[in-house]
Each structure stands twice: as C-alpha cells, then as structure tokens.
Amino acid sequence: MDNKQATLELGTKPVGRLLMQYALPAMIAMTASSLYNIIDRAFIGQVVGPEAIAGLGITFPLMNLSGAFGAAVGVGASTCISVRLGQKDYEAAEHLLGNTVTLNLIVGLLFMAVCFLFLDPILLFFGASNVTLPYAREFMEVILAGNIITHMYFGMNAVLRAAGKPQQAMYAVLFTVGMNIALIIAFVWWFRWGIRGAALATVTSQSMALCWQLWIFSNKKELLHLKRGIYRLKADLVKNIISIGVSPFLMNATACVVVIFMNNQFVRYGGDMAVGAYSIANSIAMVFFMFVIGVNQGMQPIAGYNYGAQNYDRMMRVLWLAIAVATCILLVGWALSMLFPRQLARIFTTDKTLIEMAARGIKLNMLVFFVVAGQAVITNFFQCIGKVRISIFLSLTRQLILLIPMAYILPLFLGLDGVWYSMAASDLGSALMTWPILFVFLRKFKYHEHR
C-alpha cells in the first residue's frame, strides 16, 4: 500500500481497527521506552549507588523542559500535518515537514547553549545538594551535547505517525531502546563509566535511529519527503505549529516546574533519600502512563484527519474508544502498585531504607491514578482538533493549578506523607474538572454541527 492510500484510510477504515493499527505500535514503542527507563535507573541504582538515583531525579525537570520545547515543534507539526492531509493539502504538509526540521535545529541549539552556560545554578535550583550535584551534572552534560539530536528524533517520529507510518515510528523507538540497553550494559556495567555512560548510551542510540528516520523521509516516492525549498520558515506554518504545540509545551514545562517544586519539598521533609523514592515512584507511574501516551499518539492522526475532513462521527468514536482503552490500562497499573509496591521498588535498589520509602510512595502516588486516563485523553483530544485554549487549561489544572498548592499545604499537616497525598488529590481534582468541560463542548459542538 502506498503512503497516500494509507493516509486516505484514516477517513474510511473502521475506527476500532484504525486505533488498534495506530495505537498498538505506539504502545509497544512506549512500553519499550518505559522498560528502558527502568533498566537505565536500575543499572544506575545497582551499579553506581542510591545517591546516583537521587541525582538522576534532579535531572527530570531539565529533561522535561527540553521535552517541552521538542513537543512544541514535534506535536504541533504532526497535528498540523494530520489536518492538512485530511484536507488533501499535500503541498502544505510537505512544507510543514521542512519547517519541522528547521525549527528543531534552531530550538535544540538555543536550548543547549543556554543550559550549558548556567548548568550548575539550574541544577541547584532544581533541588540538587552537594552529594547529588556531581551525578546530575555528569548526566546532563552529555544529554545537552546531544540535545539537537533528541529534538529531531522525537519530532521525526511524530511526523512518521502523522504521515500514516505508525509501524516505522514503532521500529525507530524499538531500535533506540534495544541499542540503548546494549550500550548501557557496555558503558555502565562493563566499562564502569557510571551515570555519564548511561547518558552517552541514550544520545548514541537516538543518533542512529535519527539517521534511519531521515533516510525514510529522503525517499522521493513518499507522499511527504525531504527536498529543496521546504526548509525556509513560513510565518503562517510556524504560527500554526506553535499555536497547537503550545499545549504540549505547557504540559511539559509545567511538569518541569512541578518536579522542581516537588524535589525541593521532598528534600525539605525527607532528605535526599525521599528524592530517590520520588524518582522510583515516578518511574513506575510513567511505565503505565506511557501506554496512555501510546493511545493518545494513536488517536491523534485519526482525530485530526477526520476533524479536517469533517467526519465528526468518526472523530467522536475514536475519542470514546481511546478513553476506554486508557482507563483499563491504568486500572491494571493501579492494581499492581497496590499489591506489589516493595517488589517494584526492589528493581531499582537494594538499600532497605530507600525500598521502604519508595514502596510507600508508590502506593500513595498511585492511589487514584486510574482517573488520569480520561483526563489525559480528553486533553489530547482538544489539542488534536486545534482547541488550544481548552487543552492548555486542562493541562495546567492537574500539574500546576491544583498540585503545587496542595503540595505546599498538605505537608504542613501530614509531613512527608502530605507531599505524596498531594499528587493523588490533584489527579482526582483535575479529573472532576475535565469531564464537565468535555460535555459542555460536545453540546455546543452538536448544536453548531446540526444548524
């Protein structure tokens, strides 16, 4: 099947089969990525030590901030491409591809330069101590050196999905993860390069996958391919990319702010070990949430294409199906976390104090985590159809508007447990706010549709 036919199927093939076709490769890729993150942290915790796990936790905000800029370009461009393909505007879709490459180069280079200039002050602000700062610095120096590669790699993968190539996007992630694991074993366990070796493994594997992605897009037989004349930035296309990309940018940027604040709260009420426990609990939660991200990635081209083609019934069917699938996934994650928290914590460390602290943290963090599924899918849905303001508001409620005040107030009464409870409280609060907003929008949408 050629690329154009695969794109046209977004508007004709049964929605359930389409979601399976697009979401399953993304879920497999996200699962593999999650397993890599666990193996990465397990190697660091077991070989380098518990202080290194805490140091790695300090780098999360900076990684999230880097991801925020990458998402602003990659997710924004892929959503625009999906809509333009639905409108059969193939020339604009190609120029969006070229502008994606240029924007990733510019943004990646600027982010790298600024962070290198102020790396130590940034990490100290993020909650690093004299013990954890050296580990965090070693890791981020390598990651920042490869920042342009990381931005380009994730951006090209998003465009692959939008262009009707979910399997190729999956293969790129699977290759990256497999190569990552092999290189971590070599660099961290064999050569004993420590936390710097883990970062080097990440950048090297992404570089290799990016070469393959660029090779795919260099094929002139593809509907979307790299060629002369598409790289010069066009104001209208950049505006469209950024206007849609602002929502995932704010989602990742607020995650950065939240992790900074949470790291400092954990240091204040529990010390460096509490930061390590937060790193472990966060890793467990992300394993299951990565499945939901896979569902969202599968939904995005289908919802965007059918919104552009004005096939609103198909658009709504994929939304409800995605919510159901995501909820079932997080219910499984919730059950495992409630039943086996210590076994999950032991994957990352042999330190008994850290195991006990992390096990309690896993249970409290995942207390009502299953309600996040609907909130995440609905937020992504509004982004897919270009309702940026709604998507931004919903992104901010869970991570910023609710969580930070709760994480400040609850520890005043409950101590360290209060920091953990604040995450569950914000999950529940944001879900209760999201559903009424969706139903109000659907009523207005159906009214205008039938006028």
Side-chain angles (χ1 to χ4, degrees), residues 42-121:
F43 262 94
I44 291 171
Q46 300 286 354
V47 177
V48 187
E51 294 85 2
I53 281 283
L56 193 62
I58 297 300
T59 68
F60 285 167
L62 196 50
M63 298 282 281
N64 283 337
L65 190 57
S66 174
F69 284 100
V73 178
V75 177
S78 64
T79 301
C80 290
I81 288 171
S82 293
V83 173
R84 294 302 175 96
L85 290 175
Q87 296 168 343
K88 311 292 190 298
D89 189 353
Y90 303 127
E91 183 180 353
E94 276 203 324
H95 278 89
L96 281 164
L97 170 62
N99 278 217
T100 303
V101 173
T102 305
L103 282 173
N104 272 315
L105 286 172
I106 294 171
V107 172
L109 184 61
L110 289 175
F111 185 86
M112 176 185 68
V114 172
C115 289
F116 260 129
L117 285 173
F118 306 102
L119 185 55
D120 276 12

Side-chain angles (χ1 to χ4, degrees), residues 21-285:
Q21 177 183 333
Y22 277 78
L24 190 58
M27 289 167 66
I28 292 171
M30 290 299 100
T31 304
S33 183
S34 297
L35 290 175
Y36 156 69
N37 288 329
I38 287 180
I39 292 169
D40 187 17
R41 285 155 182 74
F43 262 94
I44 291 171
Q46 300 286 354
V47 177
V48 187
E51 294 85 2
I53 281 283
L56 193 62
I58 297 300
T59 68
F60 285 167
L62 196 50
M63 298 282 281
N64 283 337
L65 190 57
S66 174
F69 284 100
V73 178
V75 177
S78 64
T79 301
C80 290
I81 288 171
S82 293
V83 173
R84 294 302 175 96
L85 290 175
Q87 296 168 343
K88 311 292 190 298
D89 189 353
Y90 303 127
E91 183 180 353
E94 276 203 324
H95 278 89
L96 281 164
L97 170 62
N99 278 217
T100 303
V101 173
T102 305
L103 282 173
N104 272 315
L105 286 172
I106 294 171
V107 172
L109 184 61
L110 289 175
F111 185 86
M112 176 185 68
V114 172
C115 289
F116 260 129
L117 285 173
F118 306 102
L119 185 55
D120 276 12
I122 289 171
L123 293 173
L124 288 169
F125 177 70
F126 287 177
S129 67
N130 291 332
V131 175
T132 58
L133 179 61
Y135 294 105
R137 187 198 306 116
E138 282 188 24
F139 186 81
M140 285 311 304
E141 282 175 348
V142 178
I143 293 295
L144 287 173
N147 189 63
I148 294 175
I149 292 167
T150 301
H151 278 208
M152 194 70 70
Y153 160 73
F154 284 113
M156 291 298 99
N157 235 35
V159 175
L160 276 173
R161 286 188 296 271
K165 292 185 172 294
Q167 288 188 335
Q168 283 85 341
M170 176 187 71
Y171 295 151
V173 176
L174 290 178
F175 172 82
T176 304
V177 170
M179 185 56 64
N180 241 319
I181 293 171
L183 292 176
I184 282 176
I185 293 172
F187 294 165
V188 178
W189 182 70
W190 185 261
F191 293 119
R192 299 287 170 168
W193 288 350
I195 199 169
R196 190 183 296 271
L200 184 60
T202 297
V203 173
T204 303
S205 58
Q206 288 177 351
S207 301
M208 298 169 72
L210 176 60
C211 290
W212 183 67
Q213 292 169 329
L214 294 176
W215 177 78
I216 292 175
F217 282 116
S218 66
N219 186 354
K220 294 181 180 180
K221 294 181 180 180
E222 294 292 338
L223 180 63
L224 298 181
H225 62 272
L226 300 172
K227 63 182 182 181
R228 289 183 180 181
I230 64 173
Y231 304 105
R232 186 174 181 178
L233 294 179
K234 291 190 172 185
D236 58 331
L237 297 184
V238 172
K239 183 180 178 181
N240 287 339
I241 290 171
I242 300 303
S243 65
I244 292 175
V246 114
S247 175
F249 171 82
L250 287 176
M251 186 180 296
N252 284 274
T254 53
C256 168
V257 174
V258 166
V259 175
I260 294 169
F261 183 79
M262 297 299 281
N263 277 340
N264 282 282
Q265 287 295 86
F266 278 114
V267 168
R268 180 180 178 184
Y269 290 98
D272 286 339
M273 281 294 179
V275 176
Y278 177 47
S279 175
I280 291 171
N282 219 17
S283 297
I284 296 299

Side-chain angles (χ1 to χ4, degrees), residues 4 141 219 269 290 292 329 352 374 439 441:
K4 188 172 182 178
E141 282 175 348
N219 186 354
Y269 290 98
M290 282 291 188
V292 177
I329 290 167
K352 292 182 179 180
F439 290 134
F441 168 78

